[in-house]
Amino acid sequence: MLKNPISLNFKWGSCDEVVAKAPSKIHERLIEQGSLTALLKSQSDSFKVKVLDEQHLMLPQDIAKALASEVEQAVCRQVLLYCDDLPHVYAQSWILLNANEQGLMNLGDKPLGEKLFQQSLWHRGELEVSYVDDTQSHMQLCKLLGAQHSPIFARRSIFTKGSAKVLVCEIFNNEIK
């Protein structure tokens, strides 16, 4: 269990700026415009979501800025996505309270992404990609993902439905074959 969310205060940029630096084995995952859950399911025999933590928290300044939100609190959901019993992705989502009321409440071990892509009224914004350059975040992620100290890459996007917003960040275990 994680009591505090891993900081996502990285240098975010367009896919073109960062993807070329990423290992080729995760290119497809970094630039996937559809559901990452669907892609992971298609690439494995078994898929599961392990919820690490889900709680109401004050929005960190960098997340509030990304969401262009004046709202002070949101639900922070942290999960690991497992394929064939190996952790492939750490995902952290910030769900504004009005978005939580749009059918995103009490998901348990169901994938958030699947829910967002099933409801056609959610619009996905532009993908941003980053290299995890924060030392503490990098160490926490290596431990969670069972990875050595290899480079770690992430992507994020914002889903909107009217004034409701969800920031979804996915961080990839680059050591998965």
Side-chain angles (χ1 to χ4, degrees), residues 8-140:
L8 303 178
N9 196 8
F10 314 139
K11 295 177 185 116
W12 294 96
S14 71
C15 286
D16 296 339
E17 294 173 29
V18 180
V19 171
K21 299 174 187 175
S24 60
K25 61 188 168 201
I26 67 159
H27 277 211
E28 181 182 19
R29 293 176 180 187
L30 279 171
I31 62 173
E32 174 62 41
Q33 293 292 323
S35 167
L36 179 64
T37 300
L39 178 65
L40 293 174
K41 284 182 174 181
S42 75
Q43 295 177 342
S44 61
D45 293 325
S46 68
F47 175 87
K48 72 177 180 180
V49 175
K50 178 182 178 185
V51 179
L52 302 172
D53 191 48
E54 187 169 330
Q55 61 181 315
H56 285 77
L57 293 173
M58 298 297 288
L59 281 172
Q61 187 176 6
D62 60 307
I63 301 296
K65 183 178 177 183
L67 286 166
S69 177
E70 299 295 322
V71 176
E72 293 182 2
Q73 282 200 349
V75 174
C76 178
R77 176 178 162 91
Q78 299 177 85
V79 301
L80 284 175
L81 305 180
Y82 283 81
C83 296
D84 301 325
D85 297 320
L86 296 172
H88 278 236
V89 177
Y90 163 80
Q92 185 182 117
S93 302
W94 289 86
I95 306 165
L96 295 185
L97 299 181
N98 62 347
N100 202 36
E101 296 165 2
Q102 301 287 324
L104 304 181
M105 198 177 302
N106 302 321
L107 291 174
D109 63 0
K110 293 181 181 76
L112 171 63
E114 209 168 62
K115 193 81 163 170
L116 292 169
F117 280 96
Q118 284 174 351
Q119 297 180 8
S120 60
L121 297 177
W122 284 100
H123 170 73
R124 180 187 216 157
E126 185 179 339
L127 274 177
E128 291 182 292
V129 181
S130 182
Y131 169 79
V132 177
D133 55 0
D134 176 75
T135 304
Q136 183 174 351
S137 295
H138 190 274
M139 287 175 29
Q140 289 176 294

